[in-house]
Amino acid sequence: MEIYDLLSKKRNSIIDKCFDLTISTYPEQSRIFLRERKRQFTNPVGYTLYHGIERIIDKIIAQESLENFIPPLEEIIRVRAVQDFIPSEAVGFIFLIKEAIYSLIYKEAKYNELMDLLSRIDSLALLAFDIFMKYREKIYDMKARELRDRTWWILKKYNIISEIDDSILEK
Amino acid sequence: MRLPRPEELISTVNLKKTPPKWWMDLKAEFKPGFYCYGAKGKNLAYVDFPNARDWSPTEEDWKLPEDWKRIVIEGIRQRIERFRTFHIFMDICVRCGACADKCHFFLGTGDPKNMPVLRAELLRSVYRRYFTSGGKIFGRFGGARDLELDVLKELWYYFYQCTECRRCSLFCPYGIDTAEITIMGRELMNLLGLNTDWISGPVANCYRTGNHLGIEPHTMKSTLEFLCDDIETITGIRIDPPINKKGAEILWVEPSGDLFAVPGVYVAMGTLMLFHEIGLDYTWSTYASEGGNFGYFTSLEMAKRLHSKIYEEAKRLKVKWILGGECGHMWRVWHQYHDTWFGPIDFLEEPVSPITGTKFEHAKSTKIVHISEFTADLIRHGVLKFDKSRNDNFIVTFHDSCNVSRGMGMFEEPRYIIKSVCNHFYEMPDETIREQTFCCGGGSGLNAGEIMELRMRGGFPRANAVRYVHEKFGVNMLACICAIDRAQLPPLMEYWVPQVRVCGVTELVANALIMKGEKERTMNLRMEPLPGKEGQ
Amino acid sequence: MGIVRALLVVLGLIFLAYVGTGILGLESIFGVVFPYTAFVIFVVGFIYKVIKWGRSPVPYRIPTTAGQHYSSLWFKQNKIDNPSTGWGVALRMFFEVFTFRSLFRNTKAEFLKGRLYIGSSKWLWFGAIAFHYSFLIIFLRHMRFFTPETPWLISGIESIDSFLQIHILGSPLFYITNLVIVGALLYLLGRRVFDAKLRYISLPSDYFPLFLILGIVITGILMRYFFKVDVTKVKELTLSLTFLKPTVPEGIGSLFYIHFFLISVLFAYFPFSKLMHMAGVFLSPTRNLANNNRMKRHVNPWEYPVKHRHYEEYEDEFRDKMKKAGIPVEKE
């Protein structure tokens, strides 16, 4: 289909636009810093977002199957799942990808092809939500497990170790 | 009515552009996962902290004493008179921003108030208002603000989002140390009883039982016996650990986390094996059963109260010197504060390794030596025999603990040990190790379960570097020399790099250590088969 | 935040000096009274502040260690970044003060895809060095106005500073530092304006000194290259100030007085502002102490005894359990 040729021609500007839009969901004061996407170790968030988006766009262009999108989506969503976002914000960057693609190619693309592409991107949003839930659940799982793994807690239950209680305090 | 489009809904900026608010006009929002639970009254009361009562950060009413403002302002006054650090750090910051992107919490979140400069400005603005002429005259335009309840809440919120790792102080042209500012900030909070459950519980326990976990003496003994049972299963050697033994040459103190939590227990086992193998005349103590110091996360006075036991015990047991285990903040306190608090230590002797005869002259005043210094010296003198291949399943990298790095400067010893006992060792990228090491994200009492999100994002820069060496070299074991690391890094790895596990350095030593009279080993300290012994 | 206000204040100061000297003829106030007052405020304020800092003791020795420590083992110590002796500290402080070593550390240049990539912080170090050194050189050059015979050191600095041997519009030799300091100031200002995170943390008191110094520099440049103030008369005034016999020659012109007034303001403002980092950097306990904590005791003058739980109390609470477990006790 012609639209994918069009996409691959505009690959770099699409990626940059997606990245800029995604960065714009962060507080203004940190944006300049996050936009610095080359410092892999001293700016891991900017780096991860950029490369996740890059891989997603490439997979869209290559028309890969849905499950191939899981790794790059996980990269991004795993970061956003522990940041200061509500669920809709955390996964909503998919719509920013859609917006970026639309705004850059709508003039040249055929209507039917464009509609088809955009509705395919919608399915990524559903996938993203599944991934978000997976990592949120992982957080809660880790919270619960940590409580269990901290053996002292169990030992305390069995009266092997003790806690300050009121009777000790009174002495 | 028209439904908004998704991108309108989520984009905070492009479409509904509002003038950004200045930080002084933004209140701290308390979101679950970002703050610790409040302290319980009984734990505060047990150690005589002021305003002991149960409280919760999310409740409107923090049950503060009526004159709380006066208490805080007086507290600031006292501290600027007592600490040149604090006094200077309040005055000379030029807000150049060099520290801004050095904080792991800012890197992981993008919350501007997590920039070290702004974290300090939160308190500086109050200092200016009450202690400088510029602040008094020009108010907001002089960067000053009144101490209001919302300001207090904000201070609390952000001083409990700093792990006192000092990475920012490394890059500050004037050496402004946010850890020092956080320490002062938390002292001020504690004047009002604003402590967290995760910190105040261990503090009370430590005061009573000698360790954070509340392990009573008989339990400590049975735990050590459990560990020795496992050692016997693995090596065939029965060890009888000396406890509260008078006249031993060395008092051994380690973080108590190593006695009860995985993977710390493997470090404790490794230590038992190492000391047994070299025939060290040493003793554990049930009274000085904690090297770590959660008191340091409340106030310097509390830190001193908790650690007084160590020298007192050394004196009572008439040992010659003290050997300390793998721990981070513990070593910051031992190294930088102990001698000032408890010195001169004239009742102990200058440390000399009884095995190699090495004089630890650099510890001649405090008489305390780090286990990694001690072990590295043993290895250098060829005292220990190793079968490195036993660690061949582990492809190891090393995480420098913040406090041992930037509060002491011990970088080579653990690396030398690891390279001596492992065949596969790879460094993480330069800007994430040694003095530039990233915090695990859970230091200074911030490894509470309820702030898992905060810990995960604070630990992201560290995890990101681990993932890099995992992908590049197949690293699957993250070694460290800190008990908080051993509590924080396992969940951090599970979230970001699930293929990587965490261990202490001494665990690796004991795996490789060939002990006299041991049976043919088939498993490592974790009771997993050794390489090539999978079938047995 | 406050950038406009800071700019307005500086413009106001310029206006004040212009009205004062150009219209009201208060040359003696702006040429003598203000400079003397500012100088006194500077000296007294500076000393007062340093004494005030100095009166806060250094209770603990807490250097930030940035390299391998000294130990009795064979590992090579990093003597500059983790000094264990006074000489090491002196060296560390030297690099800190003269090369801004901590700021430089920031600035790892990285090779990415074969291209040298320099982080923004490298520019910060560069901008800071450029500003501070050109300021220092300009400051030293100006000493010729306050000494009857120009010392050889100052002449030397002048000739190095003007080694390009360029004349602009037939004016005196061009000083490189004049260009450098303007560039550096614009850079330091620009990053506060254009970097959102710096804009967020900046206070009016961050913009004010930048505008003030920029004002001083610009008026200085105008005088030297464009409007050519009568240097002999200026020197007559400044020398008379040095020898405490102030005389105000006629016809120096307002431009000079604006320049002189802004400098007076800078001097008077200095001790009350963040500019005191000049003195503070020498006193910073994370940099100016040796990391020899376990070798040499550091004494805290206000250390006080604290209440702690003694072994006896501990044993009293747990004696029965200890005995039952076979752990030795003091009292049976």
Side-chain angles (χ1 to χ4, degrees):
Chain A
M1 285 206 294
E2 285 164 31
I3 194 164
Y4 291 100
D5 298 334
L6 195 57
L7 283 178
S8 68
K9 234 189 282 168
K10 300 204 168 181
R11 173 186 179 272
N12 292 342
S13 45
I14 289 174
I15 292 170
D16 287 346
K17 177 136 198 195
C18 290
F19 183 61
D20 281 350
L21 287 174
T22 309
I23 292 296
S24 72
T25 59
Y26 287 84
E28 193 202 357
Q29 296 77 30
S30 11
R31 251 178 261 154
I32 283 205
F33 164 70
L34 291 173
R35 204 163 274 148
E36 197 70 76
R37 64 204 187 213
K38 286 179 186 156
R39 291 157 63 192
Q40 182 176 0
F41 304 108
T42 49
N43 181 10
V45 172
Y47 178 86
T48 305
L49 290 178
Y50 186 81
H51 287 274
I53 287 170
E54 193 178 28
R55 285 165 68 194
I56 290 171
I57 299 297
D58 282 339
K59 283 171 194 297
I60 291 176
I61 293 171
Q63 303 184 53
E64 292 193 23
S65 65
L66 195 58
E67 60 264 31
N68 288 356
F69 284 88
I70 294 176
L73 281 172
E74 278 196 334
E75 294 287 288
I76 297 177
I77 290 166
R78 188 156 50 172
V79 172
R80 291 170 78 89
V82 289
Q83 290 184 329
D84 208 350
F85 292 108
I86 56 175
S88 60
E89 289 171 343
V91 300
F93 72 97
I94 297 294
F95 297 105
L96 300 176
I97 290 180
K98 200 174 151 182
E99 147 101 16
I101 290 179
Y102 177 80
S103 68
L104 286 171
I105 66 168
Y106 78 98
K107 281 183 191 152
E108 296 151 71
K110 286 186 187 147
Y111 180 77
N112 287 347
E113 285 183 7
L114 185 62
M115 283 300 118
D116 183 62
L117 174 69
L118 295 182
S119 72
R120 279 172 203 279
I121 294 174
D122 285 341
S123 63
L124 290 183
L126 296 175
L127 190 62
F129 193 72
D130 289 343
I131 295 170
F132 176 79
M133 282 312 293
K134 177 179 145 190
Y135 279 98
R136 288 307 300 172
E137 276 166 15
K138 189 160 188 166
I139 291 282
Y140 288 104
D141 183 45
M142 278 160 48
K143 283 185 185 181
R145 196 124 41 102
E146 189 170 71
L147 215 57
R148 196 194 63 200
D149 284 352
R150 287 190 171 145
T151 325
W152 63 273
W153 185 78
I154 302 170
L155 291 169
K156 193 179 76 188
K157 274 198 125 174
Y158 287 92
N159 285 329
I160 296 178
I161 57 174
S162 63
E163 224 188 355
I164 307 289
D165 64 27
D166 295 337
S167 65
I168 296 165
L169 198 57
E170 278 156 23
K171 288 176 198 169
Chain B
M1 195 192 86
R2 187 183 70 98
L3 277 175
R5 301 205 318 215
E7 60 269 23
E8 292 174 348
L9 205 59
I10 69 151
S11 172
T12 49
V13 185
N14 287 316
L15 302 160
K16 324 179 243 182
K17 189 154 184 163
T18 50
K21 279 192 171 178
W22 197 36
W23 61 265
M24 278 194 195
D25 300 319
L26 285 172
K27 283 193 217 172
E29 250 186 278
F30 286 68
K31 291 178 195 146
F34 297 90
Y35 62 88
C36 291
Y37 298 148
K40 292 191 184 80
K42 60 184 185 180
N43 285 329
L44 296 181
Y46 187 72
V47 290
D48 316 308
F49 271 140
N51 199 25
R53 80 266 175 256
D54 288 355
W55 75 290
S56 163
T58 42
E59 272 167 35
E60 197 51 41
D61 178 14
W62 277 16
K63 303 178 195 169
L64 299 170
E66 256 179 35
D67 58 342
W68 67 267
K69 270 186 206 178
R70 188 195 58 78
I71 294 175
V72 173
I73 292 163
E74 269 315 298
I76 295 175
R77 182 190 312 283
Q78 195 185 38
R79 278 158 190 78
I80 57 174
E81 283 167 5
R82 281 188 170 178
F83 293 87
R84 187 177 300 165
T85 43
F86 188 50
H87 196 164
I88 287 181
F89 297 165
M90 285 293 108
D91 279 326
I92 63 171
C93 177
V94 300
R95 290 163 292 282
C96 71
C99 59
D101 54 4
K102 304 302 179 291
C103 173
H104 52 286
F105 281 119
F106 177 71
L107 294 180
T109 63
D111 180 346
K113 285 182 187 169
N114 271 326
M115 292 188 271
V117 49
L118 206 44
R119 196 190 309 283
E121 281 299 293
L122 300 177
L123 185 57
R124 248 182 231 127
S125 56
V126 175
Y127 163 80
R128 284 192 203 105
R129 167 68 185 78
Y130 298 97
F131 297 96
T132 68
S133 34
K136 281 177 196 164
I137 298 166
F138 298 111
R140 258 170 81 92
F141 291 98
R145 60 176 175 172
D146 288 332
L147 181 61
E148 301 293 348
L149 188 59
D150 284 331
V151 172
L152 183 76
K153 290 188 173 183
E154 184 180 63
L155 290 173
W156 185 86
Y157 189 66
Y158 285 102
F159 283 135
Y160 284 92
Q161 287 192 35
C162 166
T163 47
E164 304 178 0
C165 79
R166 308 181 103 199
R167 192 167 190 266
C168 49
S169 92
L170 189 68
F171 298 96
C172 175
Y174 319 115
I176 296 175
D177 179 9
T178 306
E180 188 75 356
I181 295 171
T182 298
I183 289 169
M184 296 299 128
R186 289 197 186 177
E187 285 201 356
L188 296 171
M189 297 299 123
N190 273 285
L191 297 175
L192 306 175
L194 299 175
N195 207 319
T196 73
D197 185 40
W198 187 255
I199 295 173
S200 60
V203 166
N205 279 334
C206 194
Y207 196 70
R208 175 173 167 253
T209 61
N211 58 75
H212 296 147
L213 302 183
I215 307 169
E216 296 187 359
H218 56 297
T219 320
M220 181 165 166
K221 186 174 182 195
S222 42
T223 307
L224 285 172
E225 278 163 5
F226 291 147
L227 296 179
C228 288
D229 291 344
D230 281 359
I231 294 172
E232 191 172 9
T233 313
I234 295 162
T235 65
I237 294 171
R238 183 71 209 179
I239 296 172
D240 185 20
I243 298 173
N244 293 7
K245 178 181 151 192
K246 280 200 176 173
E249 186 169 356
I250 294 165
L251 171 64
W252 164 248
V253 183
E254 66 164 18
S256 68
D258 284 356
L259 285 178
F260 269 82
V262 171
V265 286
Y266 307 126
V267 176
M269 282 164 70
T271 315
L272 285 162
M273 290 162 68
L274 176 68
F275 291 172
H276 175 82
E277 177 59 20
I278 58 174
L280 194 68
D281 178 20
Y282 80 109
T283 182
W284 297 76
S285 163
T286 60
Y287 169 62
S289 49
E290 178 65 71
N293 195 328
F294 268 51
Y296 189 59
F297 311 142
T298 63
S299 70
L300 292 173
E301 181 181 309
M302 193 66 230
K304 187 180 176 186
R305 290 175 68 191
L306 290 186
H307 267 191
S308 296
K309 64 184 177 242
I310 296 173
Y311 284 111
E312 187 175 308
E313 184 71 337
K315 203 173 191 175
R316 183 183 76 89
L317 296 176
K318 300 191 174 62
V319 300
K320 289 184 181 160
W321 53 280
I322 302 170
L323 190 56
E326 299 180 4
C327 195
H329 276 102
M330 157 176 164
W331 271 98
R332 171 101 199 269
V333 175
W334 282 37
H335 182 71
Q336 295 198 326
Y337 295 85
H338 262 195
D339 214 10
T340 304
W341 283 339
F342 309 119
I345 317 294
D346 43 15
F347 47 89
L348 299 180
E349 292 177 18
E350 284 184 27
V352 178
S353 170
I355 315 298
T356 66
T358 301
K359 275 189 180 173
F360 295 104
E361 274 173 30
H362 66 287
K364 66 183 176 194
S365 182
T366 53
K367 283 91 174 172
I368 46 180
V369 176
H370 193 288
I371 182 70
S372 291
E373 296 168 338
F374 183 74
T375 312
D377 176 61
L378 290 175
I379 296 173
R380 173 79 162 186
H381 282 83
V383 176
L384 307 173
K385 287 197 188 68
F386 294 117
D387 176 359
K388 290 167 90 166
S389 73
R390 289 181 192 162
N391 282 321
D392 275 356
N393 282 345
F394 303 141
I395 302 167
V396 183
T397 190
F398 180 68
H399 162 70
D400 290 277
S401 309
C402 312
N403 285 276
V404 178
S405 303
R406 290 181 284 261
M408 187 164 146
M410 190 175 74
F411 302 111
E412 297 302 337
E413 286 85 342
R415 287 179 167 77
Y416 175 77
I417 297 171
I418 294 172
K419 286 177 195 161
S420 304
V421 301
C422 296
N423 284 317
H424 310 294
F425 174 72
Y426 297 96
E427 290 279 16
M428 287 182 272
D430 284 347
E431 57 270 43
T432 70
I433 54 168
R434 294 178 190 260
E435 72 275 8
Q436 298 199 33
T437 186
F438 275 116
C439 180
C440 63
S444 82
L446 294 189
N447 59 335
E450 62 267 22
I451 52 167
M452 191 60 87
E453 287 88 341
L454 181 70
R455 289 163 53 189
M456 290 305 112
R457 54 192 203 167
F460 180 44
R462 167 44 74 223
N464 180 60
V466 175
R467 191 168 62 177
Y468 174 76
V469 283
H470 166 69
E471 283 167 3
K472 195 165 178 193
F473 306 112
V475 163
N476 59 13
M477 187 56 93
L478 177 58
C480 60
I481 46 169
C482 171
I484 294 294
D485 284 336
R486 288 192 280 274
Q488 155 74 355
L489 292 175
L492 189 74
M493 289 301 111
E494 191 186 332
Y495 190 79
W496 297 105
V497 209
Q499 305 84 349
V500 177
R501 295 191 292 170
V502 179
C503 73
V505 169
T506 307
E507 178 189 344
L508 297 172
V509 172
N511 271 336
L513 183 67
I514 298 172
M515 298 173 75
K516 288 181 279 291
E518 71 180 8
K519 65 178 189 188
E520 192 198 345
R521 283 208 223 172
T522 55
M523 47 192 172
N524 62 23
L525 298 197
R526 302 182 176 205
M527 299 210 175
E528 297 159 352
L530 290 174
K533 304 278 169 69
E534 285 81 5
Q536 297 168 31
Chain C
M1 182 64 211
I3 181 168
V4 177
R5 210 166 275 244
L7 180 60
L8 287 177
V9 172
V10 174
L11 291 176
L13 291 171
I14 292 171
F15 184 69
L16 196 71
Y18 173 72
V19 172
T21 56
I23 298 170
L24 301 176
L26 299 171
E27 277 88 353
S28 54
I29 305 271
F30 285 85
V32 178
V33 178
F34 284 157
Y36 273 139
T37 318
F39 188 72
V40 170
I41 293 175
F42 174 77
V43 172
V44 174
F46 194 95
I47 294 171
Y48 172 78
K49 192 84 199 180
V50 171
I51 288 176
K52 210 172 152 196
W53 283 339
R55 281 166 59 144
S56 302
V58 180
Y60 304 108
R61 192 196 282 137
I62 55 160
T64 304
T65 57
Q68 175 69 19
H69 65 159
Y70 166 79
S71 78
S72 319
L73 305 180
W74 64 97
F75 301 109
K76 192 169 177 294
Q77 181 196 1
N78 182 337
K79 288 184 179 162
I80 298 174
D81 292 317
N82 193 347
S84 56
T85 61
W87 284 108
V89 170
L91 213 55
R92 186 182 197 186
M93 289 307 291
F94 173 84
F95 283 113
E96 204 61 78
V97 172
F98 289 97
T99 70
F100 304 176
R101 188 177 174 86
S102 290
L103 210 50
F104 187 77
R105 178 178 289 120
N106 212 351
T107 57
K108 215 178 148 51
E110 292 169 54
F111 280 96
L112 280 170
K113 293 177 186 156
R115 205 162 62 90
L116 181 65
Y117 161 78
I118 302 172
S120 55
S121 24
K122 180 101 179 174
W123 291 107
L124 173 58
W125 173 83
F126 190 70
I129 283 276
F131 167 72
H132 283 87
Y133 272 99
S134 47
F135 191 97
L136 178 68
I137 290 169
I138 292 169
F139 179 80
L140 290 176
R141 275 205 275 104
H142 278 71
M143 286 306 108
R144 69 149 52 238
F145 288 101
F146 299 91
T147 45
E149 304 263 317
T150 309
W152 62 268
L153 185 68
I154 290 166
S155 321
I157 289 171
E158 282 175 348
S159 53
I160 293 170
D161 199 0
S162 60
F163 86 102
L164 288 179
Q165 300 286 321
I166 302 173
H167 296 271
I168 294 178
L169 305 171
S171 62
L173 275 175
F174 173 71
Y175 286 130
I176 301 159
T177 45
N178 287 345
L179 190 66
V180 174
I181 199 167
V182 173
L185 280 166
L186 290 177
Y187 165 73
L188 293 175
L189 194 60
R191 59 193 288 280
R192 289 203 186 273
V193 175
F194 296 112
D195 183 334
K197 86 180 180 286
L198 272 153
R199 193 164 63 232
Y200 201 56
I201 59 176
S202 294
L203 298 171
S205 57
D206 295 317
Y207 297 113
F208 176 68
L210 286 173
F211 284 128
L212 188 62
I213 296 171
L214 205 53
I216 294 168
V217 169
I218 290 170
T219 48
I221 288 173
L222 289 178
M223 276 192 286
R224 181 173 173 87
Y225 302 111
F226 300 100
F227 295 102
K228 307 207 183 90
V229 171
D230 186 340
V231 180
T232 343
K233 282 186 182 165
V234 170
K235 185 153 180 175
E236 199 183 323
L237 169 65
T238 50
L239 263 185
S240 77
L241 291 175
T242 314
F243 293 105
L244 301 175
K245 290 174 192 151
T247 44
V248 183
E250 289 287 310
I252 297 182
S254 285
L255 191 54
F256 167 77
Y257 286 106
I258 292 171
H259 185 70
F260 211 33
F261 180 57
L262 293 181
I263 294 168
S264 306
V265 172
L266 181 66
F267 267 65
Y269 174 71
F270 199 99
F272 305 100
S273 70
K274 67 168 192 174
L275 302 178
M276 281 303 286
H277 66 261
M278 174 183 160
V281 64
F282 291 95
L283 293 175
S284 183
T286 58
R287 293 289 186 272
N288 69 7
L289 291 169
N291 178 37
N292 56 359
N293 292 55
R294 280 186 284 163
M295 277 180 279
K296 203 165 168 238
R297 183 161 181 253
H298 179 87
V299 178
N300 173 7
W302 53 260
E303 197 65 49
Y304 53 92
V306 296
K307 180 185 155 197
H308 80 276
R309 190 158 144 105
H310 291 282
Y311 178 78
E312 291 73 34
E313 300 164 60
Y314 170 85
E315 191 182 297
D316 285 346
E317 183 170 347
F318 297 112
R319 184 172 297 108
D320 292 342
K321 289 169 175 170
M322 289 170 82
K323 279 161 76 177
K324 214 184 266 176
I327 299 169
V329 289
E330 293 280 337
K331 279 192 248 169
E332 283 300 321

